[in-house]
Amino acid sequence: AGVSGNNHLDLNWIKGIGFEVSIDGPEQDGVYHSGEIIFDNLTFTGNRPMPLIFFNGKVIPSFITSYFAWSGALSVEPGMGRIPEHNGLKWVQSAGQAWTGNVMNFAPQFLSYRWPMDTLKFWIKAPTGTSTLRVQFDDIHGNKVKRTFDEPVGGYNDTWTYIQIPLRDINVFESGTSFDTSAVTTFEFMAEGTGNGHTIYFDDFW
């Protein structure tokens, strides 16, 4: 990191790379050797964080190329987030409609490194009786995987509740073939079954 006395490799401060090649020297056979080494496709790889943000408390991010609600409505409501400075992502369910929910599409995202360790997190404010909801991912091949989460004991009571769903808990073989975590293209959230017609708010959804 360029800091005196810092003997630790700070991964967030890497500013260059270098190569050292060990070849024969004159002390071995009295002859200097030379040659040419060609590098190609030199890249860094690793498990760096890759936040996939669906709603940041202000807007739906621009990487989401399209989004829509079916059998209901989805909108951003000013000042309706969990803190006064935040907006809320408002979802109005369609009462009596099966799988009422929402779809967010985006360019394929490579999540293979992060899938075993990352967690889907969000705040939800919903009335008691909202019942079980579902989150779902689609890959570029049309395979779908889902995870449901139940209403807390005692209900949501129109108070902000923090939900965490580890991605490793989602069965990637659910669709009968391996879900392609290297090319995730769609995120969906919906009622598990028939919607109750409730108005639900989300914040910090990522």
Side-chain angles (χ1 to χ4, degrees):
V3 179
S4 177
N6 182 357
N7 296 318
H8 176 72
L9 178 61
D10 297 304
L11 298 180
N12 59 326
W13 287 101
I14 294 176
K15 58 184 181 181
I17 59 175
F19 297 94
E20 179 178 317
V21 181
S22 297
I23 61 176
D24 291 344
E27 70 279 359
Q28 296 177 353
D29 57 11
V31 178
Y32 285 98
H33 299 268
S34 63
E36 183 179 81
I37 299 175
I38 299 174
F39 296 97
D40 188 14
N41 194 28
L42 182 61
T43 60
F44 285 111
T45 61
N47 297 343
R48 68 180 179 87
M50 292 185 62
L52 201 60
I53 301 172
F54 303 113
F55 181 70
N56 61 10
K58 291 295 183 182
V59 297
I60 296 174
S62 59
F63 91 94
I64 295 176
T65 55
S66 65
Y67 62 91
F68 62 91
W70 70 90
S71 302
L74 185 68
S75 61
V76 176
E77 295 297 315
M80 294 300 292
R82 66 182 182 87
I83 59 177
E85 297 81 7
H86 277 203
N87 300 331
L89 186 62
K90 180 182 178 181
W91 170 30
V92 180
Q93 291 183 332
S94 183
Q97 294 292 324
W99 315 115
T100 174
N102 308 274
V103 177
M104 293 181 171
N105 298 306
F106 37 85
Q109 301 291 310
F110 185 89
L111 302 180
S112 296
Y113 291 148
R114 305 303 305 178
W115 196 271
M117 62 187 73
D118 268 1
T119 299
L120 178 67
K121 306 172 185 178
F122 56 90
W123 291 85
I124 180 174
K125 180 182 178 182
T128 296
T130 296
S131 193
T132 302
L133 300 177
R134 175 201 290 196
V135 293
Q136 183 168 290
F137 292 92
D138 299 11
D139 67 19
I140 198 171
H141 313 292
N143 300 313
K144 300 177 182 290
V145 292
K146 69 178 186 292
R147 184 75 174 180
T148 60
F149 57 99
D150 296 327
E151 187 169 352
V153 176
Y156 285 112
N157 295 318
D158 272 321
T159 58
W160 286 103
T161 302
Y162 191 48
I163 304 294
Q164 299 185 78
I165 303 174
L167 298 183
R168 64 178 177 272
D169 290 346
I170 299 176
N171 180 11
V172 295
F173 295 100
E174 178 183 358
S175 61
T177 186
S178 180
F179 181 75
D180 189 354
T181 56
S182 72
V184 180
T185 59
T186 304
F187 173 68
E188 303 165 69
F189 53 98
M190 65 192 76
E192 179 65 9
T194 302
N196 297 320
H198 293 312
T199 297
I200 301 170
Y201 288 91
F202 296 96
D203 199 354
D204 287 331
F205 209 144
W206 59 286

